[in-house]
């Protein structure tokens, strides 16, 4: 058998075709992403380059009246709204998710996992409009009847979001817990530690970066969620003074406003600027996840 | 089976101990004594049940769902395999070290202080003393005394394993179970761990599972040869290695089988 051969064989062609196809797909993907980022960034920046609004007025201005005679584009209420519902949702969902993940992996790994796994996958698969609808017909009336305010508002938005990000945090945390070396737990048990001591002092601290990764991913989802929040938050363009007051988020303002503005108008550009803020925040979330993953490896 | 296995009742011994994974009998009715200040080596081919047997001695198999343990494990006249045993208390008496070094993701100091904290040791001074004495016993003190606050994961594999031994010693156990403690270590670290085992047996009983015949011959006083879940031979290590009664034992030790 001759191993040195200048002839082109079948396996050479296969290899070549495969590599070309893969390279093409990757290039296409990169091109799409880069052009999307470029598009959003160029549209978003045009608000400031056209001289309509300054960056500080946009980020910290509290007055949003795009259709007035002297329009003002202060997005601060929406930025606060977005952060507020996101943080609240994470605060509500994180402990619940952690407990669910611990239940699945540590407390009752047998039927606990069999029962919870499909439930969590189901929760992740429900469309956001359904969440919003349930929020509108269950949570909002409940809040209206039991607490001050109209029911719609920050609290309702945060509650709906917390259910929506529950599966994200739970599944990331459960994966992290399940990947712990078995004998790490055992060496804690072997020292006479109880299950609770083992969970609180060994298991959680060891998987902490991964759990945080899950929380950040959940927050990223909450931050970007539009429809469900828009249905229950009330969409008032003000910085809310209480959790039971109507407010808006960046996403809800974009979805509500996009259809009613003309391309190139100051109002439309301002919406793009908000989209840019959302995108930058997503980058920040991704950056945090990377950072946590690197810490996780040590 | 060696006759000496049940002739004298030791304060620590198993009696007719069987362990099942579901319906599979991994360990079949083994009675073994563990004399004070001795090292007992459990040898045998992979899957022979020696690790399962070792893990049953501090009820670690409780953590594996579907496993059941029948028979008795006597410690000072108490059958710890009986229901109602305080497993938490029991495990303070019986320390365990695994094949792969598994320090907690904590500082060197906190790794050692972990156990004592849960057993009522209070105050920094008392903990400091335990940390120092445990690390000294594990012959690690001189190497780490200046960096007790550093992460335990920054230590080398051999140091990590000695840290794990120190951690096991921190709760003052009477018995130490070692599951192939040196098989993931280089020869120098292995030597140190073996040295340590010889010193530690002055204070406690040691049961060690090993795949290394030379190691078993070097460090143990008694050797038990397991095969397919049964105890084939048990005797003084000298006897087992020079003049085994059973043909199978001889072939395994000579490396012709297993």
């Amino acid at each position: 058998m001759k191993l040195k051969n200048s002839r082109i064989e079948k396996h050479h062609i296969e290899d070549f075709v495969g590599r070309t196809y893969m390279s093409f797909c990757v290039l296409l993907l990169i091109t799409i992403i880069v052009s999307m980022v470029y598009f959003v960034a160029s549209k978003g920046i045009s608000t400031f380059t056209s001289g309509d609004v300054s960056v500080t007025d946009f980020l910290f201005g509290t007055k949003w009246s795009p259709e007035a005679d002297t329009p003002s584009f202060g997005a601060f209420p929406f930025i606060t709204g977005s952060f507020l519902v996101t943080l609240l949702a994470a605060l509500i969902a994180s402990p619940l998710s952690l407990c669910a993940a611990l239940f699945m992996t540590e407390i009752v790994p047998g039927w606990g996992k069999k029962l919870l796994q499909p439930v969590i996958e189901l929760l992740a698969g429900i469309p956001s409009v359904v969440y919003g609808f349930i929020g509108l017909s269950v949570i909002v009336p409940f809040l209206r009847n039991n607490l001050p305010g109209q029911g719609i508002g920050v609290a309702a938005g945060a509650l709906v979001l917390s259910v929506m990000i529950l599966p994200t945090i739970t599944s990331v945390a459960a994966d992290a817990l399940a990947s712990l070396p078995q004998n790490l737990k055992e060496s804690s048990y072997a020292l006479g530690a109880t299950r609770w001591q083992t969970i609180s002092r060994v298991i959680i601290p060891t998987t902490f970066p991964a759990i945080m990764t899950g929380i950040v991913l959940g927050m990223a989802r909450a931050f970007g969620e539009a429809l469900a929040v828009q249905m229950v938050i009330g969409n008032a363009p003000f910085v809310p003074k209480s959790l039971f007051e109507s407010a808006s988020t960046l996403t809800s303002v974009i979805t509500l406003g996009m259809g009613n503005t003309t391309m190139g108008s100051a109002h439309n550009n301002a919406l793009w600027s908000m989209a840019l803020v959302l995108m930058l925040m997503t980058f920040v979330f991704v950056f945090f996840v990377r950072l946590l993953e690197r810490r996780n490896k040590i | 089976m060696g006759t000496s296995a049940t002739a004298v009742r030791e304060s620590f011994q198993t009696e007719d101990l069987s362990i099942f994974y579901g319906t599979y009998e991994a360990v079949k009715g083994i009675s073994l004594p563990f004399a004070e200040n001795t090292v007992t080596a459990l040898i045998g081919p992979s899957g022979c049940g020696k690790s399962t047997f070792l893990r049953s001695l501090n009820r670690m198999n409780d953590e594996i769902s579907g496993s059941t343990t029948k028979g008795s494990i006597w410690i000072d006249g108490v059958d710890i395999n009986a229901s109602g045993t305080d497993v938490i208390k029991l495990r303070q008496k019986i320390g365990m070290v695994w094949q792969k070094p598994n320090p907690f993701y904590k500082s060197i100091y906190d790794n050692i202080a972990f156990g004592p904290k849960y057993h009522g040791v209070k105050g920094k001074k008392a903990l400091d003393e335990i940390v120092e004495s445990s690390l000294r016993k594990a012959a690690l003190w001189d190497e780490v005394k200046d960096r007790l606050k550093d992460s335990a994961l920054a230590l080398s594999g051999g140091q990590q394993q000695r840290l794990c031994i120190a951690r096991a010693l921190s709760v003052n156990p009477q018995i130490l179970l070692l599951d192939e403690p040196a098989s993931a270590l280089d020869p120098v670290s292995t030597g140190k761990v073996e040295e340590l085992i010889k010193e530690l047996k002055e204070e406690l009983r040691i049961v060690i599972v090993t795949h290394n015949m030379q190691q078993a011959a070097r460090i143990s006083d008694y050797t038990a040869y397991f095969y397919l879940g049964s105890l084939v031979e048990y005797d003084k290590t000298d006897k087992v290695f020079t003049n085994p009664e059973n043909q199978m034992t001889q072939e395994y030790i000579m490396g012709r089988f297993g």
Side-chain angles (χ1 to χ4, degrees), chain B residues 1-8 31-33 223-225 231-236 239-240 245-246 249:
Chain B
M1 193 191 292
T3 45
S4 56
T6 46
V8 189
S31 303
L32 263 184
T223 297
Y225 174 61
L231 182 64
V232 176
E233 186 157 351
Y234 168 82
D235 216 320
K236 283 213 158 90
K239 172 89 168 37
V240 173
E245 270 172 30
N246 196 298
T249 314

Side-chain angles (χ1 to χ4, degrees), chain A residues 129-151:
Chain A
V129 66
V130 176
Y131 279 111
F133 209 14
I134 295 173
L136 196 60
S137 24
V138 179
I139 295 178
V140 170
F142 175 81
L143 291 175
R144 185 167 52 222
N145 296 335
N146 295 292
L147 290 157
Q150 292 301 307

Side-chain angles (χ1 to χ4, degrees), chain A residues 109 180-195 197-198 200-202 205-207 296 298, chain B residues 55 58 60 63 88 91-92 94-96 98 100 102-106 114-115 118-119 153 167-168 170-171:
Chain A
L180 264 189
Q182 171 73 15
N183 63 19
L184 197 69
K185 282 176 251 171
E186 286 181 341
S187 49
S188 172
Y189 288 133
L191 287 166
T194 61
R195 185 148 78 173
Q197 289 162 344
T198 303
S200 64
R201 294 302 163 87
V202 176
T206 310
T207 47
N296 207 2
I298 299 166
Chain B
R55 291 169 52 88
N58 65 345
M60 202 46 86
E63 309 302 331
I88 305 298
R91 286 175 184 158
Q92 298 171 38
I94 310 179
M96 187 161 186
W98 279 260
K100 242 184 109 207
N102 54 356
F104 299 137
Y105 293 29
K106 298 171 186 292
F114 180 87
Y118 287 131
H119 304 314
L153 300 176
R167 183 176 65 187
S170 67
V171 289

Side-chain angles (χ1 to χ4, degrees), chain A:
Chain A
M1 193 171 144
K2 265 171 68 184
L3 283 177
K4 241 181 141 117
N5 195 344
S6 55
R7 262 177 55 212
I8 296 174
E9 303 271 354
K10 187 165 167 272
H11 59 263
H12 291 136
I13 298 172
E14 274 177 6
D15 218 24
F16 177 76
V17 170
R19 197 168 52 204
T20 312
Y21 180 65
M22 295 288 164
S23 317
F24 174 74
C25 291
V26 169
L27 272 177
L28 187 69
L29 204 65
I30 293 174
T31 314
I32 291 172
I33 293 170
V34 168
S35 34
M36 274 173 65
V37 171
Y38 174 76
F39 184 70
V40 174
S42 66
K43 292 292 269 180
I45 287 172
S46 65
T47 309
F48 313 119
T49 50
S50 67
D52 292 337
V53 197
S54 75
V55 179
T56 38
D57 281 350
F58 178 76
L59 288 179
F60 301 107
T62 53
K63 190 154 181 272
W64 176 261
S65 50
E67 301 296 331
D69 291 337
T70 46
S72 58
F73 298 98
F76 186 71
F78 316 135
I79 295 173
T80 11
S82 277
F83 274 104
L84 204 58
V85 288
T86 302
L87 286 174
L88 278 174
L91 274 178
I92 299 167
S94 303
L96 290 173
S97 303
L98 184 57
C99 290
L102 283 168
F103 186 82
M104 273 163 65
T105 53
E106 301 298 327
I107 315 288
V108 196
W111 62 262
K113 198 175 170 72
K114 272 198 201 111
L115 188 80
L116 267 173
Q117 189 87 36
V119 169
I120 282 158
E121 279 160 13
L122 216 65
L123 273 183
I126 296 175
S128 56
V129 66
V130 176
Y131 279 111
F133 209 14
I134 295 173
L136 196 60
S137 24
V138 179
I139 295 178
V140 170
F142 175 81
L143 291 175
R144 185 167 52 222
N145 296 335
N146 295 292
L147 290 157
Q150 292 301 307
I152 49 173
V154 177
L159 280 172
V160 169
L161 279 178
S162 65
V163 181
M164 292 181 74
I165 66 175
L166 211 61
T168 311
I169 307 179
T170 308
S171 52
V172 173
D175 284 348
L177 292 171
S179 68
L180 264 189
Q182 171 73 15
N183 63 19
L184 197 69
K185 282 176 251 171
E186 286 181 341
S187 49
S188 172
Y189 288 133
L191 287 166
T194 61
R195 185 148 78 173
W196 172 245
Q197 289 162 344
T198 303
I199 288 175
S200 64
R201 294 302 163 87
V202 176
I203 293 175
I204 292 179
T206 310
T207 47
F208 187 71
I211 294 169
M212 282 307 293
T213 303
I215 294 174
V216 173
L217 285 174
M219 285 172 71
R221 181 164 186 215
F223 204 78
E225 174 54 40
L227 202 53
V229 184
Q230 182 208 313
M231 289 168 81
V232 297
I233 201 169
N235 303 308
F238 308 113
V239 179
K241 286 182 194 66
S242 95
L243 293 183
F244 308 105
E245 231 170 68
S246 172
S248 297
T249 62
L250 291 166
T251 47
S252 67
V253 173
I254 293 174
T255 48
L256 283 173
M258 227 31 163
N260 308 324
T261 57
T262 45
M263 202 74 164
S265 67
H267 186 179
N268 187 275
N269 282 344
L271 294 180
W272 279 110
S273 301
M274 284 191 232
L276 180 63
V277 172
L278 276 173
M279 202 174 68
L280 291 177
M281 271 314 294
T282 313
F283 291 160
V284 171
F285 284 127
V286 171
F287 173 76
F288 270 116
V289 169
R290 294 265 163 217
L291 206 70
L292 287 164
E293 274 172 358
R294 265 182 40 200
R295 260 195 58 194
N296 207 2
K297 287 203 183 88
I298 299 166

